Amino acid sequence: MFAATGIGNGSTYRMIPLIQRTYAQQVGADGSPARLAAEQRSPKEASAVIGIAGAVGALGGFLIPITFSAPWIADPVDAVKSAFWVFTAFYGVCLAVTWLFYLRPRSVMARAGV
């Protein structure tokens, strides 16, 4: 689970600028004012999305310890086991969504060469 956390974190911050740039390159014809404007906006939009991803990550850094040590839980060992299963399933869902939208051969990003 911890390896998936690190891989997911690194790939998120690596993929966001590439995705934004790819979207910008799909706007209008090469050299058109619309594409140039989209390419100029792309780094700012990527920065905003990275900020949101960082905020969600910080929220996870708060919620995960709460699930491990909540005082209202009768059996802490069982709670930790359940939490690890939930987190593992969540990372599996994230991996599947990333593959579906960005990595599979017929996805928009794969066709764009990202």
Side-chain angles (χ1 to χ4, degrees):
M1 185 184 82
F2 295 112
T5 303
I7 291 168
N9 188 24
S11 63
T12 297
Y13 291 110
R14 174 76 173 116
M15 284 177 58
I16 289 171
L18 294 174
I19 292 167
Q20 293 295 347
R21 184 176 56 209
T22 300
Y23 285 154
Q25 291 171 348
Q26 294 174 350
V27 174
D30 191 21
S32 69
R35 181 180 283 184
L36 292 175
E39 288 175 349
Q40 288 177 345
R41 267 192 330 267
S42 173
K44 290 182 182 179
E45 290 174 351
S47 298
V49 174
I50 287 174
I52 292 168
V56 171
L59 182 61
F62 169 73
L63 292 177
I64 289 173
I66 294 277
T67 62
F68 289 161
S69 63
W72 57 83
I73 294 179
D75 185 8
V77 174
D78 191 43
V80 169
K81 287 179 185 177
S82 298
F84 272 118
W85 281 113
V86 169
F87 298 144
T88 302
F90 175 74
Y91 289 128
V93 168
C94 290
L95 178 65
V97 168
T98 301
W99 178 83
L100 181 68
F101 287 100
Y102 299 109
L103 300 176
R104 73 184 164 101
R106 295 183 308 162
S107 70
V108 173
M109 291 297 138
R111 282 184 274 161
V114 172

